[in-house]
Amino acid sequence: MSFIPDATTLIQFAIATVILAITPGPDMTLFVSRTLSHGRATGFASMAGALCGTLIHTTLVVVGISALIVASPAAFFVLKIFGAGYLVFLAWQAITKGSAFSPEKKTGPRKISLFRSWAAGLGVNLLNPKIILFFMTFLPQFVSAHDPNAPGKLFFLGAMFVVLSIPVTAPMVLAAEKFSAAMKTSPRVTRVVDYLFAGVFSAFALKILTAQAK
């Protein structure tokens, strides 16, 4: 099939994908924190949203929109502001609502719908300009610009990125679910984790603001 790269390219791409999948980022922080606060289902929903964002980024690379965003200083600046602002909002939520599952609250946690969790994962992924830069520089390395089947191969590699990321990120959600059981017995530890996630989201927001289009 013409849209499938050669075996050497697939192996190289698979190795790079696994390395990138285990690298911490805003999306990983989000679905782990959602698992701790609201359970495994919301964590997986956030993870699914982030992976859907990956497919959208792949599409944007194929049609050239990502290149236009990076080439336009104004568009890139606006994307950075929105992306950083969204992460600051998530940091604020981690502090004000992160411990909603605290055992002292007899009424139980305020549930977040799976769709909202999915949308949060999608938003974190799409509003991260570093991901746009990454996909613009990462995917094209595995496909020749003169290859007539380049669009199909880029889509295939984007889908492959998602498939290979799942077995790497899913165990993190499962591990977070087990850790949440221990957290429920210690409200003080819960608040420490809330502030930790808030700090991580804020740090990623600052990192996004300092991103430069190459």
Side-chain angles (χ1 to χ4, degrees):
M1 290 178 279
S2 58
F3 63 87
I4 300 179
D6 60 82
T8 301
T9 298
L10 292 178
I11 293 174
Q12 293 174 345
F13 184 80
I15 294 173
T17 296
V18 171
I19 293 174
L20 291 166
I22 63 177
T23 302
D27 47 358
M28 182 187 297
T29 304
L30 175 66
F31 50 72
V32 169
S33 65
R34 284 294 169 89
T35 302
L36 290 174
S37 297
H38 301 282
R40 178 175 58 184
T42 55
F44 278 125
S46 296
M47 186 181 78
L51 294 178
C52 287
T54 296
L55 296 177
I56 294 176
H57 279 299
T58 301
T59 303
L60 294 178
V61 169
V62 172
V63 301
I65 293 179
S66 290
L68 293 177
I69 292 176
V70 174
S72 170
F76 194 73
F77 176 75
V78 170
L79 183 65
K80 289 200 299 182
I81 295 300
F82 273 99
Y86 189 56
L87 288 178
V88 170
F89 169 72
L90 291 175
W92 174 80
Q93 279 199 322
I95 293 176
T96 60
K97 303 176 181 179
S99 56
F101 65 96
S102 178
E104 287 114 8
K105 297 192 177 182
K106 305 301 183 182
T107 56
R110 186 178 68 85
K111 289 293 185 180
I112 294 180
S113 70
L114 295 182
F115 175 77
R116 284 185 59 189
S117 296
W118 175 87
L122 181 68
V124 164
N125 189 277
L126 293 182
L127 292 175
N128 189 346
K130 285 185 172 292
I131 295 182
I132 291 181
L133 290 173
F134 162 73
F135 271 89
M136 279 193 59
T137 57
F138 182 66
L139 279 182
Q141 292 183 36
F142 297 91
V143 178
S144 171
H146 304 291
D147 189 337
N149 299 308
K153 289 182 177 179
L154 287 172
F155 277 122
F156 180 87
L157 291 176
M160 182 177 171
F161 186 96
V162 170
V163 172
L164 292 178
S165 295
I166 291 175
V168 176
T169 54
M172 298 178 187
V173 173
L174 297 175
E177 182 186 34
K178 293 184 179 298
F179 182 62
S180 68
M183 287 177 59
K184 289 178 181 179
T185 64
S186 178
R188 183 172 299 179
V189 172
T190 293
R191 289 308 290 160
V192 169
V193 173
D194 291 339
Y195 279 98
L196 175 62
F197 277 120
V200 171
F201 280 129
S202 299
F204 281 124
L206 180 61
K207 194 173 182 180
I208 282 178
L209 289 174
T210 59
Q212 298 294 325
K214 302 296 184 180

